[in-house]
Amino acid sequence: MDGRAHLFGIRHHGPGSAASLVAALDRLDPAAVLIEGPSDANDLLRFAALPGMRPPIALLLHATDEPKLASFFPFAVFSPEWRALLWALARARPVRFIDWPAAHALAVRKERAAAVTPDATQADEPEVDAPEADVPPPRDPLEAIAKISGHSDGEAFWNAMVESVGGSPDVFPIIEAAMRELRDAQAASAVTLDRRREDDERREAFMRLQIRQALDTTDGAIAVVTGAWHVPALRTEHSAAADRALLRGLPKLKTTAAWVPWTEARLATASGYGAGVISPGWYGHLWSQADGAGRWPNARDLAASWLSKVATMLRTEGQQASTASVIEAVRLAIALAGLRGHAMPGLAEMRDATLSALCHGEEAPARLIETRLVLGDRVGQIDDGVPQMPLAVDLARWQRRTRLVPEALESEIAVDLRSEAGLLKSTLLHRLDLIAVPWGRLVDAQAGRGTFREVWKLAWQPEFSVRLAEALVHGPTIELAAGGAAAAQAAASAGVADLTNLVRRCLLADLPDAAQVCIDRLQAAAVDAADLTGLAEAVPPLVSVLRYGTARKIPEQAIVALTRAMAVEVIAGAVQASRNLDDDAAARWRAAIEAFDAALDLFGDTELLEGWCRTMTMLAADAATVPLVAGVAARRLYERAAASPEATAATLSRALSPANPPKAAAGFLGGFFGRSAEVILHDGALFAIVDDWLASPEEAAFLEILPVVRRAFSSFGATERRRLLEQVGRGAAPARPVAATVDEAAFAAALPLLKLILGIDDDRRS
């Protein structure tokens, strides 16, 4: 290779590598800088030096027609590539990326995904660019050196020798020699050519061609910044024809590129990022302490700066962290480094000193430090002058308007929908949810109970940028995209429950036009609905919106008409729908009609309530109705006073008579009681009927129904079960004559079985 090309093998996201690279660039003063990175993003490089560009940030490249087919290329403030880019821009030197375009990489990935799964057209998740070989591979010569030097592994050796000691341009020949030995050893082992190695060969061929082109068009030295693994391959002579042959016939897609925010947590190896580092926050601190020449401070200043930051964070969290403890921690970190033979205290020494002197051996605050400081919680920012996709621009506008700041760590906020600020926050988060950008997760929505309060958990993920790109097909603003996405989901859905949920989500997102589209679609689906259970389940959410309202405008008349039409369908078909159901279907239908019954009370339509009571009367009396549903109907009639106590007792007596199979009787009992024992505790007639029924079966029949009966009683609260037991122990029901004496011996013998039925022993053990 031409001697004017100077190759610098770096480790992605290493502060020591970055400092060494800056020192090497200052010494060489190249005429042009070439950097490993997607060459179809070169038009965006000029924005890197803008004042509002605050790493961690990333380049997002996605297929223009398939935004989900995407790759990220992250940069930290201490990434060598980022420092090289800023170095060149500050000196007005030509700078460009020289790796193969994402247009090829994404097309290859799409072809492979389709080959594995013929119906697949794209990968499930965006890929984070992580050249495996840029992280020391398994057969790393650094491992052997690490063992000799007393380090636990090659990673620890690299940190101690390169990342933690500041910049030295003389380190690059040593790194290249180590990588050459490793590549030669790998070649000699005759490792089977896999996809990763095939891609590396293509990438290296593309980079060699780019270097040749730069040498032809540039006078003076050229700096090539690339992953250390690639340096030997770029140094080795290859003909241009051979390199072009490797690239011939590669598939290609049209791509779109943009700068997007990234997070420190996603730079960590723990996030699954192949080129990640163990401690992004620690590395960021190291870089912030370097001087203009890329040198770290002395051991005492470095330890003091980090441990002071740790103490400040602990105090913020309400922990004790005195100045004296910080001084002791600094001394301990320096002493540990000396004992371990390290020139500077590294993260391991800082951890040990923190745990001992500041956390007093307690793991909980130490884990908090790991999350907040070692991994880091910062989210990058993009300068306003950088071209962004329309949805990203609109989201930034909303973020400023609502004062919601993207954060990597999960945080909780409570919003009051009666205030303009709270309503705006809620509206934004609900709209983002409709376009599959779940920045906020709703954990408590008391607005449905009249308090107009919502509690959200917020956590920003870099992948949301891809979701925004995908949502562009629905509109260029958050409002239009959310409305368009809702309409598209409504058009693709035939399920009544799904459409009802969409109506509710549109109303919460303050999208009345989209809500009306969903209402129209729901009305059409309800007419043809064969699933009466789904239809019954769809009524309560609509009634809840009408009863409690929202802080947004709602098409009230349309919802009232739709709710009434759906309720009429449920009432008309309930008897037929309650027959010939298996256990799972019966349980679902029972829950649906209970919620439907409660919703009708809130809806307040007298005609509907009268019709529903007539229907429940038929359900309770119809021998073909599944017992679980018949029991629910009988109880609701009793609670509504639509059936007298005498009539209800007669219904219960018939259902629990010996003529009925024990399992059917137990099912009726479970439906009748529901989740509350109050009806039997306060009604002597009903208590007597159930008491007599439980005492009447023969032993074999009783053992058969026992599990079902116990399941029915298990839905009661612990207090209710104990009250039932006490009442049985007294030998009386509330309205029955009390026996003069109680057979204590017989009761004591039966007590274990009663506890088993009521589940009281389980409660006490818990």
Side-chain angles (χ1 to χ4, degrees):
M1 177 174 285
D2 192 319
R4 291 183 297 134
H6 297 262
L7 307 182
F8 299 104
I10 51 88
R11 178 197 190 192
H12 291 299
H13 317 307
S17 294
S20 297
L21 178 62
V22 172
L25 292 175
D26 286 339
R27 176 193 291 179
L28 178 63
D29 195 22
V33 178
L34 309 182
I35 302 172
E36 178 189 337
S39 54
D40 40 1
N42 278 326
D43 289 344
L44 295 178
L45 298 188
R46 67 185 187 277
F47 299 109
L50 293 177
M53 300 290 277
R54 299 176 185 173
I57 58 178
L59 279 168
L60 164 63
L61 288 102
H62 63 83
T64 303
D65 298 329
E66 300 176 67
K68 193 173 183 178
L69 186 60
S71 287
F72 290 102
F73 299 83
F75 299 92
V77 69
F78 50 80
S79 298
E81 301 95 329
W82 180 255
R83 305 319 307 183
L85 180 56
L86 295 185
W87 187 95
L89 292 173
R91 292 161 178 79
R93 306 292 168 80
V95 57
R96 69 174 186 267
F97 285 154
I98 59 169
D99 204 348
W100 69 338
H104 291 318
L106 295 176
V108 168
R109 175 148 49 109
K110 181 179 179 179
E111 282 191 351
R112 288 173 180 167
V116 173
T117 308
D119 293 334
T121 58
Q122 57 191 35
D124 289 338
E125 293 294 337
E127 182 178 276
V128 180
D129 181 63
E132 217 171 80
D134 293 344
V135 182
R139 284 186 294 274
D140 192 343
L142 296 178
E143 293 287 339
I145 302 173
K147 291 179 181 179
I148 296 172
S149 63
H151 294 84
S152 59
D153 51 36
E155 174 83 5
F157 172 78
W158 183 280
N159 283 333
M161 297 296 104
V162 178
E163 305 302 351
S164 298
V165 297
S168 172
D170 299 325
V171 73
F172 292 107
I174 301 171
I175 295 173
E176 181 176 348
M179 293 301 107
R180 185 176 297 280
E181 289 293 329
L182 180 57
R183 290 187 72 122
D184 290 345
Q186 188 184 79
S189 67
V191 176
T192 303
L193 184 67
D194 59 12
R195 289 176 174 178
R196 189 83 204 189
R197 187 170 171 185
E198 181 184 18
D199 288 348
D200 277 348
E201 290 183 351
R202 289 170 171 173
R203 294 174 59 202
E204 289 160 356
F206 193 92
M207 285 192 276
R208 284 192 295 267
L209 290 173
Q210 295 295 303
I211 293 171
R212 288 190 186 95
Q213 181 182 350
L215 288 169
D216 290 341
T217 58
T218 304
D219 294 328
I222 292 176
V224 181
V225 180
T226 183
W229 177 254
H230 300 299
V231 171
L234 299 184
R235 182 84 65 187
T236 304
E237 291 294 337
H238 290 76
S239 70
D243 286 339
R244 292 191 187 95
L246 272 176
L247 300 171
R248 191 171 298 122
L250 280 178
K252 190 174 183 179
L253 293 171
K254 183 180 180 182
T255 59
T256 301
W259 285 107
V260 296
W262 200 250
T263 67
E264 281 186 321
R266 292 305 301 273
L267 287 169
T269 304
S271 71
Y273 175 28
V277 295
I278 295 175
S279 50
W282 163 250
Y283 276 178
H285 179 77
L286 269 180
W287 183 261
S288 71
Q289 298 300 304
D291 61 17
R295 293 187 295 266
W296 304 152
N298 59 49
R300 185 189 63 186
D301 291 345
L302 178 61
S305 63
W306 175 257
L307 293 168
S308 296
K309 183 184 289 188
V310 170
T312 300
M313 193 218 71
L314 289 174
R315 292 171 191 143
T316 302
E317 296 296 326
Q319 302 286 330
Q320 295 283 343
S322 67
T323 303
S325 297
V326 175
I327 293 172
E328 289 302 316
V330 170
R331 290 172 176 168
L332 180 55
I334 296 172
L336 287 172
L339 288 172
R340 294 167 181 174
H342 301 165
M344 296 280 286
L347 184 57
E349 288 72 40
M350 299 295 188
R351 280 174 173 154
D352 292 342
T354 297
L355 183 62
S356 177
L358 290 171
C359 298
H360 312 292
E362 296 182 11
E363 292 290 341
R367 286 194 294 270
L368 187 63
I369 294 166
E370 288 288 318
T371 302
R372 294 283 181 86
L373 296 183
V374 176
L375 289 180
D377 58 2
R378 285 183 297 181
V379 177
Q381 295 181 17
I382 305 300
D383 191 274
D384 291 339
V386 178
Q388 294 281 289
M389 54 186 151
L391 280 178
V393 173
D394 192 46
L395 177 58
R397 188 161 43 243
W398 270 96
Q399 288 169 340
R400 289 190 295 269
R401 187 180 178 190
T402 58
R403 298 184 180 179
L404 287 177
V405 179
E407 295 179 342
L409 295 183
E410 189 174 74
S411 61
E412 184 175 289
I413 64 168
V415 298
D416 185 347
L417 302 182
R418 293 167 298 181
S419 69
E420 182 181 359
L423 184 57
L424 283 174
K425 291 175 182 177
S426 175
T427 299
L428 171 62
L429 295 172
H430 280 297
R431 287 178 178 178
L432 288 174
D433 186 59
L434 278 169
I435 58 174
V437 181
W439 180 16
R441 178 169 55 88
L442 189 61
V443 294
D444 186 17
Q446 297 182 7
R449 299 190 288 275
T451 63
F452 294 95
R453 180 176 180 269
E454 292 178 344
V455 178
W456 294 82
K457 286 190 179 295
L458 305 182
W460 182 261
Q461 300 293 333
E463 289 80 5
F464 294 163
S465 298
V466 175
R467 304 282 183 86
L468 290 173
E470 290 182 287
L472 272 173
V473 298
H474 299 300
T477 67
I478 300 295
E479 180 178 3
L480 292 175
Q489 292 176 50
S493 178
V496 171
D498 292 339
L499 288 167
T500 304
N501 186 46
L502 263 179
V503 171
R504 181 187 61 83
R505 292 170 67 192
C506 288
L507 294 174
L508 292 173
D510 195 17
L511 300 168
D513 293 340
Q516 186 61 58
V517 172
C518 296
I519 288 171
D520 293 343
R521 180 76 181 95
L522 175 58
Q523 201 154 15
V527 172
D528 301 326
D531 179 14
L532 203 70
T533 302
L535 204 60
E537 291 170 339
V539 171
L542 296 177
V543 172
S544 178
V545 170
L546 290 169
R547 173 64 177 83
Y548 295 113
T550 70
R552 297 95 170 168
K553 296 179 181 179
I554 63 172
E556 184 172 348
Q557 291 183 350
I559 296 178
V560 168
L562 175 61
T563 303
R564 196 177 196 288
M566 293 170 66
V568 168
E569 292 288 336
V570 173
I571 293 170
V575 174
Q576 187 65 34
S578 300
R579 299 170 178 170
N580 302 319
L581 299 176
D582 60 27
D583 290 345
D584 291 340
R588 183 186 169 203
W589 176 232
R590 171 253 186 108
I593 62 175
E594 283 184 323
F596 178 79
D597 179 81
L600 286 188
D601 280 336
L602 293 176
F603 193 54
D605 188 306
T606 304
E607 184 179 348
L608 286 178
L609 283 171
E610 291 174 352
W612 177 237
C613 286
R614 289 193 295 271
T615 296
M616 286 197 295
T617 301
M618 289 187 283
L619 289 175
D622 187 1
T625 299
V626 291
L628 189 66
V629 175
V632 171
R635 173 171 180 160
R636 293 302 295 142
L637 287 169
Y638 180 74
E639 291 176 338
R640 288 179 178 278
S644 66
E646 294 77 15
T648 303
T651 301
L652 193 59
S653 182
R654 285 195 304 272
L656 303 182
S657 70
N660 286 331
K663 184 177 179 180
F668 184 95
L669 196 67
F672 185 85
F673 286 151
R675 294 175 177 80
S676 172
E678 293 299 324
V679 66
I680 185 175
L681 283 168
H682 295 292
D683 194 307
L686 297 179
F687 184 97
I689 293 170
V690 177
D691 191 34
D692 292 341
W693 176 71
L694 284 172
S696 61
E698 297 294 333
E699 181 178 356
F702 183 78
L703 291 176
E704 181 182 347
I705 66 170
L706 180 59
V708 183
V709 173
R710 189 169 188 270
R711 190 183 315 128
F713 283 108
S714 68
S715 63
F716 299 165
T719 301
E720 291 175 319
R721 281 180 274 173
R722 290 193 179 96
R723 289 171 61 194
L724 275 175
L725 182 61
E726 292 167 0
Q727 195 157 293
V728 172
R730 291 195 300 270
R736 297 173 71 194
V738 181
T741 60
V742 176
D743 189 339
E744 298 290 348
F747 178 73
L751 185 59
L753 181 58
L754 284 170
K755 288 182 176 180
L756 177 64
I757 294 173
L758 295 173
I760 290 178
D761 282 350
D762 293 340
D763 287 341
R764 290 176 178 173
R765 282 196 298 270
S766 62

